[in-house]
Amino acid sequence: EAGVTQSPTHLIKTRGQQATLRCSPISGHTSVYWYQQALGLGLQFLLWYDEGEERNRGNFPPRFSGRQFPNYSSELNVNALELEDSALYLCASSLAAGARISLNTEAFFGQGTRLTVV
Amino acid sequence: AQSVAQPEDQVNVAEGNPLTVKCTYSVSGNPYLFWYVQYPNRGLQFLLKYITGDNLVKGSYGFEAEFNKSQTSFHLKKPSALVSDSALYFCAVRGNSGNTPLVFGKGTRLSVIA
């Protein structure tokens, strides 16, 4: 069974540009989470999608946005890139049982996209 | 809002000795607690979780964690450390209702010395 896949693995952008990061969840998983892992800051929660809807959003500016597609894959978009956006962006997926979100199920992580803003 | 504190940035332990990585949490209602491990240039791997029931939870690779409700702690333990356990360890928490996200601590780097 394939795990969570993220693309690209590395991305280099210039300040002010836009970046698009992609994530495919494990088959059968409908919840997708995005996290930013910057040096020394641990994992900062960005966004959570489930069944195509945004369930929660972390304390990030509006230029961080995303969406979830009907096949449950997800995109993270970062507009007007700043140098401090350089980080490892991790996507995770988990089960969600229909209308009742399974909060006690563990999330499975992809390998991440390393975004470098120069 | 929920939060996780991992008070130690770095833990050093000799191979064969017991190890403890500390975690305290804050959440409304009953917590769901998780431990993950991250090896260099890799994503996070799930180790174990506490949902309800027995306060001592056993997980992968010989790790276990003890839930202590009164101290709001969920410390990760292993009776005998291996050099291969050297990695970055993350504790995470979420509440048991609503659109509560999975929130992580800053991580603790474990170094096991031969």
Side-chain angles (χ1 to χ4, degrees):
Chain A
E1 178 184 299
V4 177
T5 57
Q6 292 187 243
S7 63
T9 49
H10 293 83
L11 190 57
I12 300 175
K13 292 286 187 179
T14 303
R15 190 172 52 183
Q17 285 188 315
Q18 178 196 37
T20 299
L21 287 64
R22 296 179 176 84
C23 173
S24 293
I26 291 172
S27 177
H29 286 189
T30 63
S31 272
V32 171
Y33 311 83
W34 287 97
Y35 292 86
Q36 182 194 66
Q37 186 178 17
L39 200 61
L41 295 179
L43 270 72
Q44 302 292 310
F45 168 68
L46 267 166
L47 289 160
W48 171 23
Y49 293 98
D50 184 72
E51 301 278 357
E53 293 184 10
E54 183 179 297
R55 295 290 182 179
N56 208 319
R57 178 184 179 86
N59 188 25
F60 280 83
R63 58 190 185 83
F64 287 83
S65 65
R67 53 180 172 168
Q68 187 177 34
F69 299 99
N71 66 354
Y72 305 117
S73 67
S74 178
E75 232 174 48
L76 174 68
N77 294 292
V78 188
N79 293 322
L81 284 165
E82 300 178 1
L83 297 178
E84 51 265 34
D85 296 333
S86 295
L88 180 67
Y89 288 83
L90 291 167
C91 171
S93 73
S94 71
L95 289 168
R100 182 182 178 279
I101 297 171
S102 296
L103 300 176
N104 62 3
T105 59
E106 57 272 26
F108 293 86
F109 281 78
Q111 303 283 58
T113 293
R114 174 76 60 185
L115 174 63
T116 302
V117 183
V118 297
Chain B
Q2 65 258 40
S3 64
V4 174
Q6 293 182 242
E8 302 154 316
D9 291 335
Q10 173 95 29
V11 170
N12 298 319
V13 63
E15 187 176 30
N17 283 2
L19 69 86
T20 298
V21 182
K22 296 179 180 178
C23 170
T24 59
Y25 66 90
S26 173
V27 69
S28 298
N30 292 322
Y32 295 141
L33 294 154
F34 304 81
W35 275 102
Y36 286 81
V37 60
Q38 186 179 35
Y39 296 101
N41 301 315
R42 302 287 296 276
L44 273 68
Q45 296 177 31
F46 169 74
L47 277 179
L48 50 79
K49 67 180 178 182
Y50 172 82
I51 303 302
T52 187
D54 194 349
N55 289 343
L56 185 64
V57 178
K58 295 189 183 296
S60 306
Y61 313 120
F63 284 94
E64 57 190 29
E66 187 167 12
F67 171 63
N68 187 317
K69 188 173 183 177
S70 63
Q71 297 186 3
T72 62
S73 67
F74 189 56
H75 300 330
L76 181 70
K77 300 181 180 184
K78 187 174 182 181
S80 179
L82 300 172
V83 172
S84 57
D85 293 330
S86 299
L88 189 57
Y89 290 81
F90 289 95
C91 180
V93 68
R94 76 192 313 173
N96 64 345
S97 64
N99 291 330
T100 173
L102 184 61
V103 173
F104 285 80
K106 290 189 174 183
T108 297
R109 186 163 301 281
L110 174 66
S111 180
V112 181
I113 305 159

